[in-house]
Amino acid sequence: MNGGNIVLIGMPGCGKSTCGVLLSKLVCKSFVDTDLVIQQCEGRLLQQIINESGTDYFARTEEKIISSLRLENSVIATGGSVVCYESAMNNLAKNAVIVYLKISYDGMMKRITNLSTRGILLKNGETVRDMYNHRQALYEKYAQITVDCEEEAVEKNVEKIKYAYEKIINHPGE
């Protein structure tokens, strides 16, 4: 598993991208942010994709791009909605440890100050609370490791992720 990936999943605002950059340095892996990959492929921001082409288009695009990613020895920060696509999660899970960065609904709402421009995928009529409740079960389904990231000290959260990852790699099955 030396060349394996670490895939970070979790709610918008939980720290996937921020923790991912720091974690990649600590574990000597490349860093990939799937939101940036989608933006580069589409040539526009996530919120622009949603506004101009709709949520269904965004969902199909995200699933297609992430289902076709081929990465090795990387820390991968995913968009919050990636768990909604089984094919994308199956692809990411190959040669990887899936880490769920868990925060409460209130914690998420404190951290997200730019809800209307952040590129958060809400289905028609879905509230942020609905999205939280739906995705939480999916994060738990796919996670091999769950790390409580309610505390806002990013460095401490990164240490917790690294420790849990090393434990699962060095002592599989425990």
Side-chain angles (χ1 to χ4, degrees):
M1 189 64 118
N2 190 17
N5 297 321
I6 302 171
V7 177
L8 305 178
I9 62 173
M11 296 293 172
C14 72
K16 298 178 298 285
S17 297
T18 306
C19 289
V21 169
L22 297 175
L23 181 64
S24 68
K25 292 176 183 179
L26 274 181
V27 296
C28 298
K29 294 181 182 289
S30 299
F31 174 71
V32 176
D33 186 319
T34 62
D35 284 349
L36 296 178
V37 173
I38 293 166
Q39 287 182 171
Q40 290 168 346
C41 289
E42 283 288 305
R44 48 192 176 150
L45 300 174
L46 299 181
Q47 193 62 51
Q48 284 179 299
I49 300 167
I50 293 168
N51 292 347
E52 295 169 3
S53 302
T55 57
D56 289 342
Y57 176 86
F58 178 86
R60 286 191 310 273
T61 301
E62 182 177 35
E63 180 177 22
K64 180 180 81 179
I65 290 170
I66 295 173
S67 295
S68 66
L69 280 179
R70 300 293 177 259
L71 300 168
E72 290 184 21
N73 202 34
S74 298
V75 173
I76 304 165
T78 63
S81 56
V82 72
V83 291
C84 298
Y85 320 111
E86 191 171 352
S87 62
M89 287 306 300
N90 288 341
N91 183 48
L92 288 171
K94 293 176 189 167
N95 191 34
V97 173
I98 309 289
V99 182
Y100 170 27
L101 307 186
K102 185 175 185 172
I103 58 173
S104 68
Y105 176 79
D106 290 338
M108 178 184 74
M109 293 309 291
K110 277 188 222 165
R111 294 180 188 193
I112 298 174
T113 56
N114 54 346
L115 193 59
S116 63
T117 60
R118 190 173 171 104
I120 296 174
L121 183 63
L122 296 174
K123 309 273 182 191
N124 292 338
E126 185 178 46
T127 67
V128 176
R129 174 61 90 174
D130 294 337
M131 178 267 307
Y132 181 92
N133 293 340
H134 172 71
R135 290 184 189 174
Q136 188 174 20
L138 294 172
Y139 296 136
E140 290 170 3
K141 170 186 171 183
Y142 288 110
Q144 293 166 274
I145 298 169
T146 298
V147 175
D148 182 353
C149 291
E150 196 71 23
E151 185 177 315
E152 293 201 26
V154 174
E155 292 82 5
K156 186 168 183 175
N157 291 334
V158 170
E159 284 296 328
K160 288 192 284 189
I161 297 164
K162 180 179 181 273
Y163 174 79
Y165 170 73
E166 288 174 346
K167 186 176 177 184
I168 205 170
I169 293 303
N170 295 328
H171 305 287
E174 275 188 18

